[in-house]
Amino acid sequence: MKLVVQVRLLPTAEQAAALEATLRACNDTANFASVTAFTTGDRREYALRKHTYREVKARGLGAQAAQHVIKKVADAYTTLKAGIRAGNLGPKGSARRARAESKPVTFRADAAQPFDDRCLSWDHTARTVSIWTTTGRVKNVAFVGSLDQLKMLAVCRKGESDLVCRDGMWFLYATCEIPDVPVTEPDGFIGVDLGIANIATTSDGTRHCGKGLNAVRHRNRELRRRLQAKATKSAKRLLKKRRRTEARFAADTNHTIAKQIVTEAERTGRGIALEDLGGIRDRVRLRKPQRVTLHSWSFHQLGSFIAYKAARHGVAVIHVDPAYTSQTCSACGHVDKANRPSQATFSCTSCGFAEHADVNAARNIASRGVAGWAVSHAANDAA
C-alpha cells in the first residue's frame, strides 16, 4: 500500500532562493513543453521527449530534471484526457470542455516538481536533505515532521518526492510503500450512512458531527459569499487563504471521523460497509440550501480516508448500492417513501418500527455489506 508523507523543509534564505528559482525554471520549461505538445499533438512521454529534450536541457535543467519536466507535462495531458472522457469537464460542446481543449495545459510558477533519488538524497540521522537546483546542489536543508512520519519515511520511503511551496512554506511529499496487512474475516459489518445533517452515522447509532460542524460550514459559506461580492484584490487574497483553511478543516474532520469508525471496527472484529456514492451529485435532487451543503463537503475524501486506514489495520471494507436505504425498514424490510416523514425520523408504515432515519439507513447498509461480502467470497471460492 502506498502512502504519502509530508515533511516541512526549513531552508535558509539562500537555500529558499535557490529552491524558488528551481521551481520557476522547471515550470517555465514545462509551459514550453506543453505548448509543443499541444501544437504537435504528440502528448505521450516518449514522443514529446524527442521534440523537446534538447531545448529543455538548453534552458539550464539537468538531465534528470529535464526528464521529470517532460513526464510531468505528458502526465498532465493524460489526466486532462481522462477527465474529459469521464465527463468531468461537461459534455462535448460545453463551454468548459471547449476552453480546456482549445489551449495548452499551463503550470503555475510555484507548481510542484518531482525529484528522484538522483536529484534528492535524505540524511535521516541529521534530518537534512540534499537537493539539486539550477544553481547547483543545495546541501543540509533541514526538515521536520511528526515522529510517526519520520519513522515511516526512514523505513518505507520509495520512489519520487515532490517539492512544494505553499504560503511561503516549503514541503516535500514523499511516497512510502507500506507492507500490506492481511484482511481479517469480518464478524459482521458496521454500516456508515453519509449525509448532510450528520456527516456520518453508523449502524451502532453513533452520529459524527451535526449542528456544531454545520454552523462552522454556514459561517464559512456566508463569509465566502460576502468576499466574493466585494471582489477587491484584498478580498480575493483572503478568499484564497480561507479556501485552504476550510480545506484543512474538512480534512481534519474527515480524518477524525474515519479514525473513530476504523478503530471501532477493528475493536469489534467487524468490517465497514460504505455507500457507493459515485455520481451522487448528478443523481440527487435537493432544494437549493441542501445543494450548497452537499457540494461543500468532500464525502469522497471521507470514504478514501476510511478505506486506507482500514487497509492499514486489516479491516474489510465493502461498497454497497445505497438505493432506497433511507426508505427501507431495517426491521421488516418494507420499502415506502412514507416511512420517512421527516429528515431525522423513520417510522415504518408496515410494522411500526421507529428509529433515527440515519441510523436506520446505516443498518440497511450494514445488512447489504454482509450480503455483498458473502456473495463476493462465494464467487472467489468457486473460482
Side-chain angles (χ1 to χ4, degrees):
M1 182 176 61
K2 290 186 178 180
L3 294 177
V4 175
V5 171
Q6 171 188 287
V7 295
R8 183 177 175 183
L9 298 180
L10 302 175
T12 63
E14 184 179 352
Q15 291 171 339
L19 295 177
E20 183 179 358
T22 300
L23 276 190
R24 288 186 177 276
C26 288
N27 288 303
D28 181 61
T29 306
N31 285 325
F32 156 76
S34 179
V35 171
T36 303
F38 182 80
T39 304
T40 62
D42 290 330
R43 300 175 181 181
R44 291 180 299 175
E45 182 182 353
Y46 181 74
L48 185 58
R49 188 182 299 142
K50 291 196 297 184
H51 286 294
T52 60
Y53 181 71
R54 291 183 182 276
E55 176 64 23
V56 169
K57 282 270 292 178
R59 287 172 172 253
L61 300 188
Q64 285 301 112
Q67 301 281 10
H68 284 301
V69 165
I70 295 169
K71 185 177 185 300
K72 180 167 76 169
V73 173
D75 289 345
Y77 278 102
T78 300
T79 301
L80 174 62
K81 184 178 179 180
I84 291 173
R85 187 186 299 116
N88 296 336
L89 299 177
K92 188 174 182 179
S94 66
R96 186 182 178 193
R97 177 170 173 174
R99 283 196 302 270
E101 294 177 322
S102 65
K103 60 183 180 181
V105 173
T106 57
F107 297 86
R108 303 187 319 274
D110 61 348
Q113 176 63 22
F115 289 82
D116 61 17
D117 288 343
R118 296 184 182 181
C119 305
L120 174 70
S121 59
W122 301 76
D123 185 341
H124 296 287
T125 303
R127 293 187 183 175
T128 62
V129 295
S130 171
I131 187 169
W132 172 88
T133 70
T134 52
T135 58
R137 194 88 175 184
V138 174
K139 300 181 179 180
N140 300 321
V141 182
F143 67 86
V144 293
S146 70
L147 292 178
D148 289 341
Q149 288 175 323
L150 297 176
K151 182 179 178 180
M152 187 187 303
L153 195 64
V155 176
C156 305
R157 189 194 64 81
K158 188 174 183 180
E160 297 177 352
S161 303
D162 288 348
L163 177 66
V164 176
C165 181
R166 188 175 66 240
D167 295 334
M169 298 180 289
W170 292 92
F171 300 92
L172 279 173
Y173 289 83
T175 303
C176 295
E177 289 194 0
I178 309 298
D180 291 333
V181 177
V183 176
T184 304
E185 183 68 24
D187 182 18
F189 279 83
I190 295 177
V192 181
D193 177 65
L194 305 180
I196 295 174
N198 296 294
I199 299 301
T201 303
T202 70
S203 52
D204 293 339
T206 303
R207 282 175 276 169
H208 296 276
C209 300
K211 291 184 179 179
L213 173 63
N214 287 328
V216 173
R217 296 166 68 187
H218 177 74
R219 185 167 64 250
N220 289 337
R221 187 164 62 246
E222 285 300 304
L223 178 57
R224 210 162 47 235
R225 181 185 62 78
R226 291 198 300 271
L227 291 172
Q228 288 169 344
K230 200 172 185 65
T232 61
K233 287 185 177 180
S234 60
K236 291 177 181 178
R237 283 196 300 269
L238 184 55
L239 271 171
K240 186 177 180 180
K241 182 179 179 180
R242 293 293 309 173
R243 180 193 66 193
R244 291 173 179 167
T245 300
E246 291 176 29
R248 289 194 298 271
F249 170 75
D252 178 69
T253 302
N254 282 338
H255 270 300
T256 302
I257 295 172
K259 184 175 181 179
Q260 291 174 358
I261 292 173
V262 172
T263 300
E264 179 63 16
E266 183 184 22
R267 185 186 69 81
T268 57
R270 289 178 290 176
I272 301 172
L274 297 172
E275 300 172 87
D276 183 0
L277 296 178
I280 185 174
R281 286 179 168 84
D282 299 322
R283 297 195 313 267
V284 174
R285 297 292 181 266
L286 297 169
R287 293 183 295 109
K288 188 173 182 179
Q290 291 178 314
R291 289 201 300 270
V292 172
T293 305
L294 173 69
H295 288 265
S296 67
W297 195 262
S298 180
F299 293 103
H300 178 269
Q301 183 189 68
L302 174 57
S304 65
F305 284 176
I306 292 174
Y308 96 78
K309 291 177 188 294
R312 291 191 65 183
H313 293 86
V315 175
V317 173
I318 189 169
H319 290 80
V320 303
D321 183 3
Y324 303 106
T325 52
S326 63
Q327 300 176 13
T328 302
C329 177
S330 59
C332 71
H334 177 65
V335 182
D336 191 344
K337 189 175 182 180
N339 284 347
R340 192 168 180 177
S342 68
Q343 185 278 324
T345 305
F346 182 91
S347 180
C348 182
T349 57
S350 177
C351 70
F353 173 76
E355 180 57 275
H356 189 281
D358 292 342
V359 176
N360 177 76
R363 289 177 179 172
N364 289 323
I365 292 168
S367 298
R368 294 185 184 186
V370 172
W373 184 264
V375 169
S376 63
H377 278 64
N380 292 338
D381 293 340

